[in-house]
Amino acid sequence: MAHLVGFLRMCVMRDWVTFPDGTRGRRSWDADPQRAGAWQHRLAQAWGGDERPVCDCRYQGQPMGLSVHRCLRPRDGRQVEVYHLARLRNQVALHAVACCFHEADPRRDGRGGYADGVVRERDDGRIGIALRRGVRCRDVAAAPAEPAQAARQGGGQGAVRQARMTELGLLHLLWEEAGLNGWSPPLGRARRRWSFVREALDRAAVRIVPARNQTLSDRLAMIGYADADGPALLRETARSCGDTWRILLLGIVDDIAVVDWTRGRQFCSLRFDGVQDYHLRVSAAPVWHERLTRRYPMAMAALALPRAERAIRVVGLVTATVRVELEHGEVTLVRCRADDIALMEVEPDTLTPVSSAHELAIARALVDEHRSFIRPLRFDAAT
């Protein structure tokens, strides 16, 4: 097991930010109910200004500037402006490893398996991506590089490099950009609260651009237990997708099963944890159960067990067409037909990805020893 420790990079996370007026704050305050309002006020003041906030990193003696992004989100029944911080273009490797704006070296995780341009930094600091299946309904899936072929050719310069990102690659990108592939002791059990996880993922989704004039947050809906704002966000996203756009659903998966319908017909049903508050139905062709069992044996084996006996949790990302049922102008049911499903196994308390029982044991040992760690992700790389 000792040789597996190499995939974990040890660090103590830094997230202090200095604003143009000289005041200081921590990025983590965005998830602190007592400080989130003051933090958002500071970001609002910095948005669109001539001077940028900076982190504590320095390059060639100069502080590292940051970008402030704005979006609208429903909260407590009304639209509110929400602000997020992001690093500037081509500065990923210039931030210190301990900085919350640092990004893993693509040569050390699965991003190195993509062809040039599949994942690219834009001038505004956001991330442009080329998806195998676009977010527009008229887009069809492009054939990805055959994993077996890539594996035969190895990981060197002659290896096949993926020309498009699949749903699994997108799930890994979101998790990494949200910082959910790492853990540090101050987090404790905060990730047991889905609202905390959703906020982190939403900050990441605002930075990811899958199509012209579209951010991933425009089409992403996150489903989780005891999240007061989640159902309204799902309804808003589903209505805005309509017949033109696909919706992307993300959450902890509670069950995937083949269900009998009528006249001997069947379909594959996917149910997220906490979905009873969302009025959401997710279905797929019955063949998807077999496909998922073949692609994600560890995840599907866990889902086949009673909830109390599962050693891991399973995160799912579903790309689907959506149909909204209305009554008196209000959404009563959101029906989604899956085009693709990606699954990811995670440690239950920290939600850090694991791909084997050995990695699960390592992650738990590091948490018990109060050690910070980062777990690089595979994305779509074959090796």
Side-chain angles (χ1 to χ4, degrees):
M1 185 181 297
H3 73 282
L4 292 175
V5 178
F7 77 77
L8 298 167
R9 186 169 67 249
M10 315 313 298
C11 66
V12 179
M13 193 62 67
R14 290 198 320 239
D15 67 348
W16 281 100
V17 174
T18 303
F19 290 89
D21 62 0
T23 58
R24 300 262 289 170
R26 303 191 70 172
R27 193 187 189 192
S28 57
W29 289 355
D30 199 29
D32 183 341
Q34 295 181 339
R35 294 179 170 177
W39 173 254
Q40 284 291 311
H41 179 68
R42 291 184 185 184
L43 292 180
Q45 288 180 316
W47 181 74
D50 295 331
E51 296 184 67
R52 296 182 182 276
V54 298
C55 67
D56 286 348
C57 300
R58 300 186 78 86
Y59 177 67
Q60 296 181 344
Q62 299 298 314
M64 304 281 286
L66 302 168
S67 176
V68 181
H69 298 294
R70 183 185 70 168
C71 64
L72 293 175
R73 282 288 177 269
R75 184 167 293 168
D76 299 327
R78 59 190 180 89
Q79 290 282 342
V80 297
E81 294 178 334
V82 180
Y83 296 86
H84 306 291
L85 276 176
R87 60 181 174 266
L88 299 180
R89 186 184 185 191
N90 296 327
Q91 290 190 351
V92 294
L94 302 183
H95 288 273
V97 173
C99 178
C100 64
F101 297 101
H102 176 84
E103 184 178 288
D105 186 339
R107 294 171 298 180
R108 297 187 179 183
D109 69 10
R111 294 196 198 197
Y114 292 117
D116 293 341
V118 176
V119 183
R120 61 196 182 280
E121 277 204 85
R122 293 161 47 105
D123 291 336
D124 58 8
R126 294 186 294 178
I127 301 171
I129 58 174
L131 291 174
R132 181 170 69 98
R133 178 182 286 101
V135 291
R136 285 186 180 274
C137 290
R138 69 168 180 261
D139 295 336
V140 296
E146 178 61 41
Q149 181 183 8
R152 287 195 299 270
Q153 293 193 21
Q157 293 182 351
V160 172
R161 301 180 71 194
Q162 189 97 344
R164 297 276 177 171
M165 177 180 284
T166 69
E167 278 76 2
L168 179 61
L170 179 58
L171 177 55
H172 284 191
L173 177 65
L174 263 171
W175 223 248
E176 186 175 273
E177 287 297 318
L180 297 174
N181 64 321
W183 184 84
S184 60
L187 287 170
R189 295 169 63 89
R191 290 180 185 169
R192 280 284 188 174
R193 291 186 288 110
W194 181 253
S195 57
F196 176 93
V197 177
R198 174 175 59 76
E199 289 285 349
L201 289 166
D202 192 53
R203 287 193 295 270
V206 167
R207 294 190 59 238
I208 299 173
V209 182
R212 179 182 293 183
N213 300 324
Q214 294 286 316
T215 65
L216 191 64
S217 63
D218 295 328
R219 305 300 159 211
L220 178 66
M222 289 167 278
I223 318 300
Y225 178 75
D227 184 358
D229 293 319
L233 287 167
L234 169 66
R235 291 192 294 270
E236 179 200 22
T237 304
R239 296 189 73 162
S240 68
C241 286
D243 297 329
T244 305
W245 302 95
R246 290 187 175 92
I247 193 171
L248 288 92
L249 306 170
L250 191 154
I252 304 296
V253 178
D254 188 48
D255 182 61
I256 299 176
V258 175
V259 177
D260 291 326
W261 192 22
T262 58
R263 300 178 183 178
R265 299 170 65 184
Q266 296 179 321
F267 66 92
C268 181
S269 170
L270 184 147
R271 188 173 70 248
F272 289 105
D273 185 31
V275 75
Q276 61 271 13
D277 297 326
Y278 289 77
H279 305 292
L280 171 68
R281 302 289 185 272
V282 182
S283 64
V287 70
W288 268 102
H289 192 275
E290 180 184 348
R291 289 179 184 174
L292 293 172
T293 302
R294 185 171 61 252
R295 291 182 186 177
Y296 309 102
M298 182 179 179
M300 293 297 284
L303 293 176
L305 296 172
R307 190 181 304 172
E309 298 178 16
R310 297 173 186 174
I312 60 170
R313 302 178 86 184
V314 178
V315 177
L317 177 65
V318 179
T319 304
T321 53
V322 60
R323 182 164 59 89
V324 175
E325 295 185 9
L326 302 173
E327 185 173 320
H328 305 299
E330 297 294 326
V331 177
T332 57
L333 186 63
V334 178
R335 294 187 181 273
C336 293
R337 182 71 173 178
D339 291 322
D340 210 331
I341 303 170
L343 303 178
M344 179 175 67
E345 304 88 353
V346 297
E347 196 279 327
D349 288 324
T350 64
L351 299 190
T352 51
V354 296
S355 59
S356 68
H358 298 293
E359 291 187 8
L360 178 63
I362 291 172
R364 286 178 170 171
L366 290 168
V367 172
D368 290 342
E369 294 178 9
H370 304 287
R371 301 179 70 181
S372 302
F373 62 92
I374 294 175
R375 200 277 197 190
L377 299 178
R378 177 187 290 271
F379 290 78
D380 289 311
T383 57

